[in-house]
Amino acid sequence: MKRTTTLLALVALVLASVALHSLQAPIRSARGQGSNFDEVPTVNNSCACNVDRTAKPALRTALIPPEFEQPPECIEMSPSTLKATETENGQLKVADSNWPSEDLTVGLDCKDAECDEPPTGSLPSSTDSGLDVLRKTGNPTFNWLRDHQCEDGRWSASDFGAASTRKNALHTYNVEFLAPGLEWGDKGQSPDNDLVVTALALLCHFGSGYDHKDGYYKSAVRKALIWLRKQQHESGRFGDVHDNAFLPTHALCTAALADCYSLSGDSALKQNCEIALAHLLTLQTQGSGFARYPSGYGLEAEPDVATTAWSVLALKTAKFAGVEFDLQTPGAGLLEFLNSVTSVVHGPGNELARVYTRLRERGGDCPDGRAAEFSALNTLDAMNAYCRAMLSQGEDDWKLIRALAQNAVAHPPAWESNKIDFVHWFFSTAAAFQALGSRPPSKTDNGWAVWEKPLAKALLDNQRGYRTDERKTWPAMLDEFGSWDAVDAYSRQGGRVYTTAMAALCLQIYYRYRRQTKD
């Protein structure tokens, strides 16, 4: 009996070793010792599709695109490529006019069975805790997403629990805030958000270098891409025009397609990217920003900062993916809009004394859809700074960008009830990374250092399975292992899939984008 029990324990530990290398290798290695993001390696300007795909994907070190205005030379953008039926080696079929097609690229350098699961590496010993096992061979975040993907390829804001392949694992739901221990507590409230959470889940895969061509998660990514393409209307539109977040949904789906195109160079995605981007540009209010309810969709179009920020993310992602379009003209309108919602107070010597951002020209102090009971944060300043950093035309803009970014980081992240806001954390991290501090930190670093350390602590200490009281668990025991609880200001809409994807995207900002400042 004792021998049987020991054998079963070893089997359980070996099964746990299927979790992958950490999402944040240098970050995860620092867990419990503090986090030093300044040690993330610098990369060269090689474009994504020239990366050696025989190497196992880790941090996105060699996958950061070149300067934003320089499309990757390795992606063939000619119309003849779109109509091709196969690659030079005869293995890749490309979608034609009868799209969406399921003929997406599969791995050209490995078999599906070899890439869908990670190598076991060194097997765990019988004395290892669940945490030790995962640190040896695992990436719990992407494993959780893979294990909670629906059969049709999407990720669901509300049905991820029913889709779980961890059939014998304990479900604990949220453990601290927002209906702790209750089944509905970590679910999104509307199936309309499945497009949004699927796009976010795909973006965090691409941010760590995983696409549909190879790698441990190519099967999950490929299924999601096929589902996403099937949701695209012939006009290029994603989402129901009657959805109260239609334009942000379309922008995120556009960004996901463009990011995959940038990473994989798969021309089967080119047409989808082009028509999605073209449709996005038609939704811009002329000479201004983007409205949650765009003109022509039944409601008055009034641009707002939040919708504009998600749209800028899509435009810049498409730009450095190599999709050809004019950004200068729409960019000028976007900056005009941002100027109209930015209030600047000057002090002695015409120095900036105070800046703040309104949601719309007529007012508003937070993005639409945010739960009212959550503490007020300077999210609009973060979004304003992010957009200006992405659209900046010169050094003169950076004084204002830095002032806005300073506002954004005024309230460092804390894992406390009614203070968790992943949208704020994402845009504040992006703005602070672009505008504040330097690498290595200098004496003038008065914003970045005081932001990134609390962010790392809040996220890494509260990832399920890594909390102090869960360190002897593993995925087969705990269904939530690798995810983040749905306890932020938008969790009622996106649920656990949303919070998990957003947490991953926050942690990827350090190596996903180049700084746009001279330093």
Side-chain angles (χ1 to χ4, degrees):
M1 183 65 181
K2 183 176 181 180
R3 180 176 300 177
T4 301
T5 302
T6 302
L7 180 60
L8 289 173
L10 286 172
V11 170
L13 288 170
V14 171
L15 288 175
S17 70
V18 301
L20 297 178
H21 54 75
S22 174
L23 169 68
Q24 293 285 308
I27 300 173
R28 187 70 71 198
S29 64
R31 187 189 291 273
Q33 305 172 14
S35 177
N36 185 359
F37 295 104
D38 294 319
E39 296 178 358
V40 177
T42 305
V43 301
N44 58 34
N45 284 339
S46 61
C47 58
C49 49
N50 280 338
V51 174
D52 177 12
R53 288 191 172 276
T54 61
K56 302 303 181 188
L59 286 179
R60 194 180 189 181
T61 53
L63 303 178
I64 301 177
E67 297 299 323
F68 283 125
E69 303 304 326
Q70 300 174 3
E73 296 178 358
C74 54
I75 298 180
E76 177 58 54
M77 300 300 295
S78 66
S80 60
T81 302
L82 181 62
K83 297 178 181 180
T85 56
E86 58 185 24
T87 59
E88 292 180 358
N89 60 14
Q91 292 183 312
L92 169 59
K93 289 187 177 181
V94 179
D96 56 20
S97 59
N98 296 318
W99 66 278
S101 165
E102 296 193 7
D103 292 329
L104 289 173
T105 310
V106 295
L108 302 180
D109 54 5
C110 62
K111 297 178 181 179
D112 286 352
E114 295 173 343
C115 287
D116 283 347
E117 296 294 340
T120 57
S122 58
L123 292 176
S125 71
S126 59
T127 59
D128 282 340
S129 68
L131 179 62
D132 292 332
V133 171
L134 269 296
R135 281 181 173 171
K136 282 186 175 181
T137 59
N139 183 331
T141 302
F142 294 112
N143 279 351
W144 187 87
L145 288 169
R146 178 197 60 192
D147 292 347
H148 294 80
Q149 184 178 22
C150 296
E151 281 293 324
D152 59 6
R154 68 191 160 96
W155 278 279
S156 174
S158 55
D159 294 335
F160 60 88
S164 177
T165 59
R166 303 177 181 182
K167 298 304 181 183
N168 297 318
L170 176 67
H171 292 257
T172 58
Y173 314 108
N174 292 339
V175 293
E176 285 185 282
F177 320 123
L178 297 182
L182 298 180
E183 184 176 357
W184 58 268
D186 61 353
K187 291 182 178 181
Q189 300 302 307
S190 172
D192 294 339
N193 293 315
D194 289 359
L195 268 171
V196 171
V197 299
T198 297
L200 290 171
L202 282 170
L203 281 168
C204 70
H205 278 86
F206 304 146
S208 283
Y210 298 111
D211 62 19
H212 62 292
K213 296 178 73 172
D214 64 3
Y216 305 146
Y217 302 102
K218 69 172 186 176
S219 178
V221 172
R222 184 175 183 274
K223 286 169 58 180
L225 281 173
I226 291 172
W227 180 84
L228 188 64
R229 295 172 86 206
K230 288 180 178 178
Q231 312 311 307
Q232 189 175 26
H233 189 267
E234 289 184 0
S235 66
R237 186 191 76 233
F238 284 100
D240 187 343
V241 296
H242 302 295
D243 179 9
N244 63 4
F246 157 63
L247 207 156
T249 297
H250 177 77
L252 280 167
C253 293
T254 301
L257 286 176
D259 209 20
C260 186
Y261 184 30
S262 174
L263 176 62
S264 67
D266 187 351
S267 55
L269 297 170
K270 180 174 184 286
Q271 184 183 18
N272 298 93
C273 292
E274 289 178 335
I275 64 173
L277 179 64
H279 190 71
L280 178 63
L281 290 171
T282 67
L283 301 176
Q284 182 180 7
T285 303
Q286 186 174 5
S288 186
F290 288 87
R292 192 176 179 90
Y293 308 106
S295 178
Y297 285 86
L299 293 170
E300 180 183 358
E302 186 176 4
D304 67 89
V305 173
T307 303
T308 297
W310 291 116
S311 300
V312 167
L313 183 150
L315 291 173
K316 294 304 293 188
T317 304
K319 192 66 177 178
F320 64 64
V323 181
E324 296 180 5
F325 71 102
D326 172 31
L327 182 58
Q328 186 172 357
T329 301
L334 293 170
L335 288 172
E336 280 293 319
F337 165 69
L338 292 173
N339 289 336
S340 74
V341 296
T342 305
S343 296
V344 180
V345 178
H346 292 278
N350 205 34
E351 290 293 322
L352 286 176
R354 182 189 176 205
V355 295
Y356 61 93
T357 307
R358 301 182 301 281
L359 178 64
R360 300 178 175 89
E361 286 191 43
R362 62 183 171 89
D365 57 5
C366 69
D368 293 326
R370 190 176 190 272
E373 66 269 22
F374 279 73
S375 300
L377 299 169
N378 299 329
T379 307
L380 299 179
D381 288 331
M383 292 174 165
N384 191 348
Y386 169 80
C387 291
R388 290 177 181 274
M390 296 297 103
L391 300 169
S392 174
Q393 300 297 315
E395 187 63 27
D396 291 342
D397 300 328
W398 284 92
K399 285 186 178 180
L400 178 56
I401 294 172
R402 291 186 184 102
L404 289 165
Q406 287 285 2
N407 287 354
V409 301
H411 303 284
W415 197 268
E416 299 174 9
S417 179
N418 292 343
K419 292 185 178 181
I420 303 167
D421 186 332
F422 282 112
V423 171
H424 176 75
W425 292 1
F426 173 80
F427 282 105
S428 293
T429 304
F433 180 76
Q434 291 292 333
L436 305 177
S438 58
R439 277 189 187 170
S442 66
K443 293 181 180 179
T444 60
D445 184 344
N446 56 354
W448 173 245
V450 299
W451 174 264
E452 61 94 358
K453 291 180 180 178
L455 175 74
K457 179 175 178 57
L459 292 178
L460 298 179
D461 287 356
N462 291 282
Q463 185 178 17
R464 297 301 303 276
Y466 290 94
R467 292 165 51 89
T468 302
D469 56 347
E470 294 176 342
R471 293 191 175 185
K472 292 187 180 295
T473 64
W474 55 84
M477 289 178 58
L478 181 66
D479 187 78
E480 293 81 13
F481 195 109
S483 66
W484 278 267
D485 280 356
V487 293
D488 96 317
Y490 302 90
S491 294
R492 286 291 174 263
Q493 301 174 47
R496 185 174 293 273
V497 178
Y498 150 78
T499 52
T500 299
M502 286 299 294
L505 288 170
C506 288
L507 292 171
Q508 290 172 354
I509 284 173
Y510 308 92
Y511 56 88
R512 188 182 183 96
Y513 301 116
R514 291 186 182 279
R515 278 195 171 104
Q516 299 300 288
T517 54
K518 291 183 179 180
D519 59 359

